[in-house]
């Protein structure tokens, strides 16, 4: 396949698709090098600037990665996150990764106005504030900040969260079985402190998630999480109509 100069599709976008097809057809796998910008320019009759635009796009999409002085390589496919009320531990195990957690902060704090409102508790009521770095096969994936009312899990702080799943502790130690939840997901730019924890260049794109989980109509957890956009994509099944639609 070649670049079609008469196509309304910009040349850099045509090259993107050609390159992705070529990677699959040539059986390239993760960490294999792709041809240099100069070689690609010659092969497809394109300027170095156009080729660079394509490579920049594929790097931003997480399909390729660059190593300064070495070249450009095929990146690992992103992890698909299902939109379900699953714990990080379950989600990672289902996908064949070993889940992990590093405690960053654990303290009991008075719920601030917006947290209290979102959790439907009185402002100032004590909540466990838990910050964790989540890993998959040892690689940093997300920073999760959870708020859990002290009243529903009073001695939660005695349990280590580096060896056990938070949702499993809530269920096994406190009899809390999450039965519903809601989540919002926004594109964001990584805060410098989180970028350091996640091993990302400052200003990298992230997925900012806010999840409320409920048990028997009561909000059990309000979590604000930062997920690496270069390693995660969301996957959702599409129903034919909006809920409540006709
Ligand atoms: C998920 C939840 C997080 C929860 C965690 C429990 C999102 C965005 N976040 O990662 O709110 O705290 O699971 O995981 O989905 P754990 O049971 O493995 O500790």
């Amino acid at each position: 396949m070649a670049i079609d100069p008469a196509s309304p599709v910009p040349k850099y976008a045509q090259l993107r698709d050609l390159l992705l097809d070529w990677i699959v057809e040539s059986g390239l796998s993760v960490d294999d090098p792709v041809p240099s910008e100069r070689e690609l320019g010659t092969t497809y009759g394109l300027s170095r600037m156009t080729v660079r635009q394509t490579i920049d796009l594929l790097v931003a999409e997480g399909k390729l990665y660059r190593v300064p002085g070495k070249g450009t390589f095929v990146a690992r496919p992103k992890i698909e996150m299902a939109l379900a009320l699953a714990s990080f531990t379950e989600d990672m195990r289902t996908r064949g990764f070993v889940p992990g957690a590093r405690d960053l902060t654990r303290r009991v704090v008075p719920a601030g106005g917006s947290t209290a409102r979102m959790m439907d508790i009185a402002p100032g009521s004590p909540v466990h504030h838990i910050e964790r770095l989540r890993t998959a096969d040892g690689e940093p994936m997300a920073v999760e900040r959870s708020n859990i009312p002290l009243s529903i899990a009073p001695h939660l702080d005695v349990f280590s969260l580096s060896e056990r799943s938070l949702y499993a502790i809530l269920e096994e130690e406190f009899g809390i079985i999450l039965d519903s939840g809601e989540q919002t997901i926004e594109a964001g730019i990584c805060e410098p402190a989180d970028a350091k924890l996640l091993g990302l260049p400052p200003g990298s794109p992230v997925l900012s998630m806010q999840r409320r989980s409920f048990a028997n109509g009561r909000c059990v957890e309000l979590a604000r999480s930062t997920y690496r956009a270069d390693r995660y994509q969301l996957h959702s099944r599409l129903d034919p109509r909006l809920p409540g639609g006709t």
Side-chain angles (χ1 to χ4, degrees), residues 117-224:
R117 210 166 29 254
M118 298 232 27
M119 300 190 80
D120 201 16
I121 54 177
S125 350
V127 291
H128 294 282
H129 181 78
I130 301 166
E131 296 189 9
R132 293 182 293 168
L133 178 68
R134 308 309 307 261
T135 58
D137 288 350
E139 189 190 6
M141 288 289 156
V143 180
E144 294 196 318
R145 298 183 169 88
S146 302
N147 298 283
I148 296 170
L150 189 72
S151 56
I152 63 162
H155 55 290
L156 179 62
D157 46 357
V158 305
F159 300 100
S160 160
L161 287 170
S162 41
E163 283 118 46
R164 259 174 104 185
S165 143
L166 172 63
Y167 285 2
I169 293 173
L170 289 176
E171 186 171 334
E172 290 156 17
E173 309 291 343
F174 298 96
I176 298 165
I177 300 179
L178 300 174
D179 52 25
S180 64
E182 54 169 45
Q183 189 162 323
T184 55
I185 300 146
E186 285 178 86
I189 295 294
C190 201
E191 298 284 334
D194 286 357
K196 216 165 160 194
L197 289 166
L198 293 168
L200 295 175
S204 296
V206 286
L207 299 168
S208 298
M209 312 207 190
Q210 182 164 277
R211 181 191 280 204
R212 285 197 298 169
S213 311
F214 300 86
N216 293 319
R218 193 163 172 202
C219 183
V220 169
E221 183 196 32
L222 168 67
R224 298 187 179 102

Side-chain angles (χ1 to χ4, degrees), residues 40-66:
L40 289 169
T42 312
T43 309
Y44 291 100
L46 294 171
S47 74
R48 190 89 179 257
M49 233 173 71
T50 306
V51 175
R52 177 150 307 161
Q53 213 180 343
T54 306
I55 303 291
D56 285 347
L57 178 63
L58 288 167
V59 168
E61 288 176 350
K63 303 260 185 332
L64 299 178
Y65 69 95
R66 284 193 175 103

Side-chain angles (χ1 to χ4, degrees), residues 94-110:
T94 313
R95 277 150 235 288
F97 295 95
V98 178
R102 200 176 100 205
D103 267 0
L104 301 172
T105 305
R106 285 182 73 172
R107 50 177 195 256
V108 174
V109 296

